[in-house]
């Protein structure tokens, strides 16, 4: 959809705003939305995440819904950012950055700022946002929400649940909505943003990669598409022997663009990648876990990489169904990757970077070994446990989801 058609649809082609109410999204409407996605805790041992929103958030949410409404006939972007404890100068820079994104990605329709409720102090992030938006009117709605019992995946899945409910409410195809997950400190220059916009308009997927700390291309070969494709095939065919280093830079939630339909179809991002300790029986011989007794439950913790785990499920689910479209579209996108700068990463101490990459390589090994698909959980009866896991087509079952994603 070009800018003129976008304007005509938003104004009924008359130059006047549509009859939709201008007041904020009502508290009652939001309560209904939340009831559709929040999942009650099954036992005293479980703490499912919950969503809070302020009056300021409701005002911004009204604008975001208008942005979703106009996507019935064309593809648009919704940004999701996870953060907490952001000061006024940081939020001001972030708002300016989002306006630059909007300038180069015209169908960017809104931003959901997901705040870690447990990490936030004195409501500083939302106060900073309110102050920044009071100084000047932003071109795009920025909706702050708080998530209780916050985790990395609930930060993403909360926003996805809201976007999905609004799409259902307004009869907007979820495949028309691209969810752009961005870390707070990420930036792209205008040329990379234009490349990203072209990819979104033409392709099913966008392959993204973080620049090195020196601002360079992280790939060693000029023909990066072919090289990435070879490494990708090796991972699928020989996961225990594959070279995983490039995945520390590629297709991450630091900056990623995924169809809302794909996310909903797979039940969201997998909470088993949140780094919480859990028990798992290693019944299959595996070179990563030769030291573990396959007859006993052993502790497993997957710290992050829920983004790569998501793409693994998307690919495996499509292969199980005999559909090679996902593979073909990913291969096409690899020839035109989008590079971004992560300022927070660049500011990290070198040892912290090494530690983080080490955790990520371990997480990748666990994911590709199948240990991100099952969990041993308590049943509520003394000493009794059961194994739960992903169901057909790599779908995260409702009992394991952060938030329920209706279809």
């Amino acid at each position: 959809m070009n800018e003129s058609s976008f304007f005509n649809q938003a104004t009924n082609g008359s130059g006047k705003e549509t009859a939709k109410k201008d007041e904020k999204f009502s508290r009652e409407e939001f309560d209904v939305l939340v009831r559709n996605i929040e999942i009650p805790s099954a036992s005293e041992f479980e703490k499912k995440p919950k969503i809070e929103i302020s009056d300021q958030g409701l005002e911004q949410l009204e604008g975001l819904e208008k942005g979703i409404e106009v996507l019935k006939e064309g593809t648009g972007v919704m940004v999701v950012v996870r953060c907490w404890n952001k000061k006024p100068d940081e939020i001001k820079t972030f708002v300016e950055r989002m306006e630059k994104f909007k300038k180069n990605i015209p169908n960017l329709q809104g931003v959901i700022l997901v705040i870690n409720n447990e990490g936030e102090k004195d409501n500083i992030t939302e106060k900073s946002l309110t102050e920044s938006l009071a100084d000047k009117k932003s071109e795009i709605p920025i909706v702050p929400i708080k998530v209780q019992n916050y985790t990395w995946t609930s930060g993403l899945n909360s926003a996805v649940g809201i976007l999905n409910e609004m799409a259902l409410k307004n009869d907007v195809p979820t495949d028309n909505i691209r969810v752009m997950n961005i870390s707070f400190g990420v930036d792209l220059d205008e040329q990379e943003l234009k490349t990203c916009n072209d990819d979104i308009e033409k392709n099913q997927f966008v392959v993204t990669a973080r620049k090195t700390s020196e601002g360079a291309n992280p790939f060693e070969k000029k023909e990066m598409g072919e090289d990435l494709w070879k490494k990708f095939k090796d991972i699928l065919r020989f996961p225990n022997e594959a070279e995983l280093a490039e995945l520390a830079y590629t297709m991450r939630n630091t900056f990623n663009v995924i169809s809302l339909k794909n996310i909903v179809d797979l039940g969201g991002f997998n909470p088993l990648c949140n780094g919480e300790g859990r028990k798992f029986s290693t019944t299959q011989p595996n070179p990563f876990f030769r030291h573990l007794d396959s007859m006993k439950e052993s502790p497993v913790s997957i710290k992050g990489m829920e983004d790569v785990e998501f793409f693994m499920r998307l690919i495996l689910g499509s292969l199980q169904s005999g559909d090679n479209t996902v593979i073909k579209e990913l291969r096409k996108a690899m020839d035109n990757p989008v590079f971004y700068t992560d300022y927070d990463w660049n500011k990290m101490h070198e040892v912290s970077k090494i530690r983080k990459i080490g955790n990520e390589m371990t997480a990748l090994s666990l994911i590709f070994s199948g240990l991100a698909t099952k969990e041993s959980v308590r049943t509520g009866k003394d000493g009794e446990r059961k194994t739960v896991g992903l169901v057909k087509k790599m779908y995260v079952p409702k009992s394991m989801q952060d938030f329920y994603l209706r279809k």
Side-chain angles (χ1 to χ4, degrees):
M1 182 186 296
N2 59 36
E3 288 183 82
S4 61
S5 62
F6 168 80
F7 177 78
N8 286 336
Q9 193 164 345
T11 61
N12 278 340
S14 64
K16 297 181 180 180
E17 293 184 0
T18 60
K20 177 144 181 81
K21 62 184 187 302
D22 290 326
E23 67 268 19
K24 69 185 178 186
F25 199 90
S26 76
R27 178 70 57 180
E28 292 75 16
E29 288 177 288
F30 187 77
D31 289 343
V32 170
L33 186 156
V34 166
R35 282 198 297 272
N36 284 335
I37 65 174
E38 288 187 346
I39 302 174
S41 298
S43 71
E44 61 181 299
F45 307 109
E46 184 180 51
K47 289 185 177 181
K48 286 289 189 181
K50 305 291 181 184
I51 300 174
E52 292 181 1
I53 194 167
S54 64
D55 289 345
Q56 162 73 4
L58 289 174
E59 289 177 5
Q60 294 292 312
L61 194 61
E62 178 66 24
L64 185 137
E65 184 176 37
K66 289 178 180 178
I68 286 179
E69 286 177 340
V70 302
L71 297 181
K72 289 183 179 180
E73 304 299 333
T75 302
V77 177
M78 292 291 177
V79 173
V80 176
V81 181
R82 298 168 292 183
C83 70
W84 60 94
N85 291 337
K86 296 303 178 184
K87 298 176 182 178
D89 58 332
E90 294 175 298
I91 289 292
K92 181 175 182 293
T93 298
F94 172 75
V95 171
E96 291 171 350
R97 188 174 294 156
M98 289 300 99
E99 289 173 344
K100 180 179 72 173
F101 276 42
K102 171 69 174 176
K103 175 184 174 183
N104 293 281
I105 305 176
N107 275 343
L108 194 163
Q109 302 297 335
V111 179
I112 299 182
L113 198 66
V114 185
I115 300 169
N116 174 353
N117 185 66
E118 285 72 37
E120 179 82 347
K121 295 179 181 178
D122 300 322
N123 201 31
I124 186 172
T125 302
E126 189 161 355
K127 288 178 180 176
S128 300
L129 179 63
T130 302
E131 178 182 316
S132 180
L133 295 180
D135 289 342
K136 63 180 181 121
K137 186 174 178 60
S138 176
E139 292 185 34
I140 52 175
I142 301 177
V143 182
I145 64 171
K146 281 187 178 181
V147 175
Q148 300 177 17
N149 301 321
Y150 178 92
T151 61
W152 283 112
T153 57
S154 67
L156 297 175
N157 289 327
S158 57
V160 167
I162 290 172
L163 294 173
N164 185 52
E165 287 299 315
M166 288 188 160
L168 292 173
K169 175 184 173 184
N170 294 286
D171 297 319
V172 175
T174 51
D175 202 34
N176 287 1
I177 299 173
R178 296 290 187 268
V179 180
M180 181 182 283
N181 296 321
I182 308 178
S183 291
F184 192 84
V186 160
D187 196 9
L188 285 81
D189 62 35
E190 292 205 350
Q191 185 53 55
E192 294 296 343
L193 286 170
K194 289 174 182 175
T195 299
C196 184
N197 187 56
D198 289 343
D199 282 353
I200 291 168
E201 290 182 349
K202 298 174 184 177
N203 301 327
Q204 183 176 345
F205 298 108
V206 179
V207 169
T208 62
R210 181 179 64 210
K211 293 179 181 179
T212 67
S213 298
E214 293 75 29
N217 181 336
F219 306 120
E220 295 177 321
K221 297 183 179 180
K222 290 183 178 180
E223 298 297 325
M224 64 187 74
E226 188 60 40
D227 190 42
L228 277 177
W229 179 242
K230 181 182 181 303
K231 292 177 183 294
F232 174 73
K233 287 191 295 184
D234 287 345
I235 287 170
L236 288 180
R237 293 170 178 171
F238 314 106
N240 298 334
E241 302 172 14
E243 170 59 62
L244 302 175
E246 275 76 10
L247 288 183
Y249 290 86
T250 310
M251 302 294 278
R252 310 173 52 94
N253 282 334
T254 314
F255 180 74
N256 223 327
V257 184
I258 310 174
S259 162
L260 177 60
K261 182 180 186 302
N262 286 155
I263 302 174
V264 172
D265 283 349
L266 293 186
F269 294 92
N270 187 351
L272 296 187
C273 295
N274 275 323
E276 295 180 6
R278 56 192 172 91
K279 297 283 189 176
F280 189 84
S281 177
T282 55
T283 56
Q284 298 287 333
N286 191 299
F288 290 121
F289 308 106
R290 288 195 180 103
H291 62 290
L292 299 181
D293 185 345
S294 63
M295 301 302 292
K296 296 180 181 178
E297 285 188 333
S298 303
V300 172
S301 175
I302 299 178
K303 297 179 180 178
M305 305 306 284
E306 67 276 4
D307 34 19
V308 174
E309 193 273 345
F310 174 85
F311 280 105
M312 184 198 75
R313 285 189 288 127
L314 183 66
I315 292 161
L316 293 180
S318 67
L319 291 176
Q320 284 178 1
S321 66
D323 181 5
N324 292 323
T325 303
V326 169
I327 296 288
K328 291 177 180 177
E329 289 294 321
L330 273 173
R331 173 64 188 93
K332 183 169 68 172
M334 286 178 185
D335 285 329
N336 197 35
V338 175
F339 297 99
Y340 61 87
T341 299
D342 183 355
Y343 290 113
D344 289 339
W345 171 262
N346 292 347
K347 288 186 285 188
M348 287 176 64
H349 189 279
E350 204 65 28
V351 173
S352 297
K353 290 180 181 178
I354 293 170
R355 185 180 296 116
K356 191 173 190 305
I357 289 175
N359 287 337
E360 290 172 351
M361 293 301 100
T362 300
L364 287 170
S365 299
L366 290 163
I367 288 166
F368 291 124
S369 299
L371 296 190
T373 61
K374 294 180 181 178
E375 180 179 22
S376 177
V377 299
R378 297 175 179 178
T379 65
K381 296 180 181 179
D382 288 344
E384 184 178 278
R385 305 180 74 89
K386 66 178 180 179
T387 298
V388 297
L390 306 189
V391 295
K392 188 178 180 181
K393 295 186 178 179
M394 298 293 156
Y395 183 77
V396 178
K398 186 176 179 180
S399 62
M400 294 170 63
Q401 291 176 17
D402 294 316
F403 295 95
Y404 183 47
L405 305 178
R406 297 191 303 141
K407 296 183 181 180

